[in-house]
Amino acid sequence: MRHDLATFLVIPKGPAAFRRLDNKLSASSIDSVPLLSSPTHQKRGRNVSLYDRRSEVRALLVCLGYDHKGNYKRLFDVFDRLQRNDTSVYHEFTLRKRNGKLRTVHAPDEPLKSIQRRIHLRMLRKERVHRCSAAYIRKYGPVDAARKLCGDLAVLRLDIQDFFPSITEDRVAGLFRDLGIDTHWHGEKSVFMLAKLCCHNGCIVQGAPSSPAISNLICRKLDAQLERLAASWGLRYLRYSDDMFFYSSSEFNGRKLTETAQRIITQHGFELNTQKTRYFAPGAPRRLLGLNTMGETPRIPRTKLRTMRAAFNKAARDPLANREALPRLQGLAGWYKQVHGLDERCREYLQVIRELRRPIALVKIREWLRSHGLLSRLQTRW
């Protein structure tokens, strides 16, 4: 067991190294361990502890990087709250989508969020995603994906319905099993421990740090099969989260391709949202990933630009009354800079943000000078 654990942790082997590992594993005394049953055991009416041996728990904690007793206690507290279905583990709120509908987000509390981040950094991030997957990748965003869809192209857009809820806890456990977790640790039990940490109400949720990487890894086989389908049609394939695109420089039969792709998507445990399926002929106006992609480069739609300009003009007229809008304006300016670059309009937006960041006393003095006509005189003299 020590040799397998040392291999997984990429640490030296030998008698001295094994003694240090034993001392590290026995650094904490675990008196009471909560019970947590796997979904398979729950279906069979059993209540089997995932922590029937202390070495399993200690191996999990060491692999997650917890070296102190306080961190052990915090992890056990999180497991205990998950076992009791404590509603305070996740904070639920809604965000409005572009189409006006609401998106439900479940944000974990800080102890669980830190554990999910460790799972992501130590186990998930090092795994390679499929080359056709463009979402949730470092230094690669929706603008980079939209650039591939620009130009005089024919594009078929497909959408997966309830993408994150379709990735259940059993599928997450199967992912960790495919990653070799049951080989390096103690079998099925450690797999379900990790799956329980990453899921809420039996599936992954938006707001958990581990969910994006899990979704990309779950869809690797789906992406590979859809890429082969696109190649057989002489097309290219791209997936950004739940949005899938087949595109080519020439027209193709979008309806027939949709039927074939739908069968493949269903085989992999997902459902196609037929209401969002759309085929764009070459030269037709299209908005993909929230951007206009008819030209050579992606552009923000005009309606969004007008809304953005109105928000910054309102903040520029009265900085004191619009200081609460600073986070939203920072997000808008960052989005504009990412799409259009640092042009003259972007510099104006950044200047408005700098005015909002100034201390209130300096803003009041500046507004008083402007109202009395003294600000222009001082600027002219200086």
Side-chain angles (χ1 to χ4, degrees), residues 23-49:
N23 294 333
K24 198 171 188 180
L25 292 176
S26 61
S28 173
S29 61
I30 304 171
D31 300 327
S32 60
V33 179
L35 294 178
L36 187 64
S37 298
S38 66
T40 305
H41 291 150
Q42 291 175 357
K43 292 178 181 178
R44 297 176 180 175
R46 302 178 184 176
N47 190 17
V48 181
S49 173

Side-chain angles (χ1 to χ4, degrees), residues 250-264:
S250 58
E251 292 194 37
F252 56 91
N253 192 337
R255 180 176 299 179
K256 186 176 180 180
L257 179 60
T258 301
E259 295 175 356
T260 307
Q262 186 174 8
R263 288 195 295 269
I264 297 175

Side-chain angles (χ1 to χ4, degrees), residues 124-339:
L124 302 176
R125 192 174 69 174
K126 64 182 181 180
E127 299 293 332
R128 285 190 177 184
V129 301
H130 195 270
R131 59 184 178 183
C132 295
S133 176
Y136 316 127
I137 300 176
R138 294 183 64 186
K139 299 181 180 180
Y140 196 91
V143 180
D144 302 297
R147 289 194 180 101
K148 295 184 177 181
L149 303 173
C150 290
D152 191 17
L153 300 175
V155 181
L156 173 64
R157 181 188 65 192
L158 304 178
D159 182 85
I160 298 177
Q161 187 172 7
D162 298 331
F163 181 52
F164 276 15
S166 299
I167 303 177
T168 61
E169 188 173 330
D170 286 336
R171 299 183 69 176
V172 177
L175 170 65
F176 285 118
R177 190 182 302 111
D178 293 340
L179 297 180
I181 302 301
D182 58 343
T183 302
H184 294 294
W185 293 356
H186 299 277
E188 288 286 318
K189 300 177 182 180
S190 56
V191 166
F192 284 106
M193 291 164 64
L194 294 170
K196 188 69 177 179
L197 285 171
C198 297
C199 295
H200 177 57
N201 292 332
C203 62
I204 65 173
V205 292
Q206 297 189 26
S210 56
S211 295
I214 289 175
S215 66
N216 276 343
L217 296 176
I218 287 286
C219 291
R220 285 189 296 188
K221 294 181 180 179
L222 172 64
D223 292 334
Q225 195 167 353
L226 291 179
E227 184 190 23
R228 291 194 296 268
L229 173 64
S232 66
W233 282 60
L235 310 175
R236 284 168 289 178
Y237 166 74
L238 175 70
R239 183 182 63 83
Y240 192 90
S241 186
D242 58 346
D243 295 321
M244 297 175 292
F245 305 96
F246 296 88
Y247 57 101
S248 174
S249 57
S250 58
E251 292 194 37
F252 56 91
N253 192 337
R255 180 176 299 179
K256 186 176 180 180
L257 179 60
T258 301
E259 295 175 356
T260 307
Q262 186 174 8
R263 288 195 295 269
I264 297 175
I265 293 171
T266 304
Q267 291 173 1
H268 287 268
F270 297 102
E271 292 294 333
L272 190 65
N273 188 353
T274 56
Q275 296 180 353
K276 293 186 177 181
T277 301
R278 189 172 178 183
Y279 173 77
F280 300 91
R286 60 177 182 269
R287 183 183 298 182
L288 305 175
L289 301 176
L291 298 171
N292 291 334
T293 58
M294 292 86 69
E296 296 299 326
T297 58
R299 311 290 295 179
I300 298 177
R302 292 183 180 180
T303 55
K304 299 294 183 182
L305 288 176
R306 285 195 291 265
T307 303
M308 190 181 302
R309 193 180 304 115
F312 278 98
N313 290 338
K314 180 181 178 182
R317 287 193 299 267
D318 193 354
L320 288 177
N322 293 275
R323 292 178 70 89
E324 295 181 355
L326 179 59
R328 175 174 177 266
L329 296 178
Q330 288 176 329
L332 292 175
W335 175 241
Y336 182 92
K337 182 180 179 181
Q338 187 179 2
V339 178

